[in-house]
Amino acid sequence: MGASKGQKLSGLQKQVLSLYRGFLRAARSKPCEDRCQIESIVSAEFRRNSKQVDRKNFFYIEYLLRRGKKQLDQLKSPDTMGLSSLNVSSSQKQNAKT
Amino acid sequence: MAAVRGALLKHLRVNATPLARNPNPTSHGLFALTFNAIRRRFCDEVKGSFLDKSEVTDRVISVVKNFQKVDPSKVNPNAHFQNDLGLDSLDTVEVVMALEEEFGFEIPDNEADKISTINLAVEFIASHPQAK
């Protein structure tokens, strides 16, 4: 997704960017240290997927969007410290990769 | 006494009618202008007012220069985030979020997607009364 230089964004790209924005907004509400960690994990995850996922693989991108929205809802809850839930998900992804 | 009161009332009524007629179409422009001037003065205290464009430009440029992936020497008021500064769409989201924090207000998604150059960011922020 990062490959496109043009200004026009597809609907799917807009959804991805809006999800990314949502994560960064949610991170703002967490304490400073957690916030930095959340931001770096989230940005690494989006960037990794933007390079690895084929931009025409709509089903997979839509699946990632749905999963991301669920994770965002969890992160938004004030009970979530953020780190644990995100660490679990990122370690799951690493497991899936190996 | 009654005659005096009558005359007085008549006088008052005559005085009052032009005021009541004020918001008619012919005087609307002037009325709206003064009304806006008054409202803006209120805004100064309650919501903040429009920022000076050159000040906005300076602050936007310093935010973009501080962004780690940007080469500060390439930043100028006409720079395009993706074409000139080499940022991707995710970086652009981060820059716009940093601008939100700098100016203390939230930019809605559909507006944020349109901000692709420094000039567009300046224009949007300068036209936004809540920017601080």
Side-chain angles (χ1 to χ4, degrees), chain B residues 68-83:
Chain B
Q68 38 175 320
K69 286 176 196 162
V70 168
D71 176 1
S73 63
K74 286 187 188 163
V75 179
N76 66 72
N78 297 313
H80 188 284
F81 292 144
Q82 302 190 21
N83 298 341

Side-chain angles (χ1 to χ4, degrees), chain B residues 12 24 42 46 55 58 61 74 79-80 82 106:
Chain B
L12 284 177
N24 68 15
F42 273 113
V46 186
E55 185 206 327
D58 290 345
I61 285 181
K74 286 187 188 163
H80 188 284
Q82 302 190 21
E106 204 160 289

